Amino acid sequence: MNQTKDNTKSREEDNQPMRLANATLGQHRHVCAFFHGAEEEYRVLLPFVKEGLARGEKAFHIVDPKLRDEHLERLSSAGVDVPSVEKNGQFELHHWHEVYLRDGHFDKDRMLACMQGVLEQSQRDGFPLARVMGHAEWASGDWPGIDDFLEYECRLNDIIPQYKDAVICLYNLTKCGGNLIIDVMRTHPMILIGGIVQENPFFVPPDEFLRELRERRAPRTKVKA
């Protein structure tokens, strides 16, 4: 009897609307979020983070290692009891080199497995949903393996729809090149820009985008006569 009640409660929690900025996230929960600075970012995202924590959901954040302390301070100033949610496993904070750039390089397959593992582990730990937020300005750098980053973002669209969790990919527009922004925009079904969330009119289906990436790379691999 108690198990039935628990299962019913879990289903009800799963069906609660998930608010991000001006919108309720529906079927598509892979979002590229663009900001012009920290003030805009936290103004938009703190309510999203706090809503999830208040509902007992998992929060998994990836930030610039230089901004780790600032991130914790922002959460604390917004009323989040950081030590408590860290202690009970509800909140995890990592920096780029612990997740995206382990061993000093980017490995798309390892990263896809990591993201799927985060979502799977959240379920195993009993959290109704997970809200993953990852800063990706590092992708403008010249890291080993960086050529595979766009394929990673694209292939996330094969993983995320298997879950009801949200994965928000964060980009500071002042720290990213225009070409990266344009391509990243095309790999996400939802977009947040100017504080507004909407279905992304520039989204390209994964198979089509991956085919385009292969065509781009083809000239590089041709042997010159």
Side-chain angles (χ1 to χ4, degrees), residues 20-177:
L20 176 61
N22 63 298
T24 298
L25 295 182
Q27 175 186 0
H28 301 298
R29 296 188 172 186
H30 183 205
V31 184
C32 56
F34 299 115
F35 301 101
H36 287 93
E39 294 305 322
E40 179 188 11
E41 174 190 335
Y42 284 98
R43 183 175 67 252
V44 173
L45 292 180
L46 278 174
F48 175 75
V49 173
K50 292 179 66 178
E51 177 190 79
L53 292 173
R55 285 167 26 175
E57 298 171 3
K58 176 79 175 188
F60 188 97
H61 297 176
I62 310 165
V63 299
D64 181 337
K66 297 176 182 177
L67 301 177
R68 185 182 186 280
D69 290 343
E70 179 184 346
H71 189 70
L72 292 173
E73 290 171 7
R74 294 267 189 175
L75 294 178
S76 295
S77 296
V80 175
D81 185 349
V82 173
S84 177
V85 292
E86 282 188 316
K87 184 177 180 180
N88 67 20
Q90 190 183 0
F91 172 58
E92 288 186 45
L93 178 61
H94 300 274
H95 59 71
W96 296 338
H97 301 288
E98 294 174 319
V99 184
Y100 294 117
L101 299 170
R102 277 185 289 165
D103 305 319
H105 74 281
F106 178 75
D107 183 317
K108 68 178 185 299
D109 294 321
R110 179 178 66 189
M111 193 62 209
L112 287 165
C114 173
M115 282 294 99
Q116 185 154 19
V118 168
L119 302 182
E120 290 283 354
Q121 188 63 51
S122 173
Q123 289 187 350
R124 287 194 294 269
D125 290 342
F127 295 106
L129 289 172
R131 302 189 185 205
V132 178
M133 301 195 323
H135 271 275
E137 293 90 355
W138 62 269
S140 285
D142 189 23
W143 295 96
I146 193 61
D147 286 347
D148 292 329
F149 178 71
L150 290 173
E151 181 177 344
Y152 157 73
E153 281 280 38
C154 184
R155 289 175 60 192
L156 275 177
N157 293 302
D158 295 326
I159 293 174
I160 296 171
Q162 301 175 37
Y163 306 87
K164 294 182 179 181
D165 309 300
V167 177
I168 316 298
C169 304
L170 310 175
Y171 294 86
N172 186 323
L173 291 169
T174 68
K175 299 180 181 180
C176 297

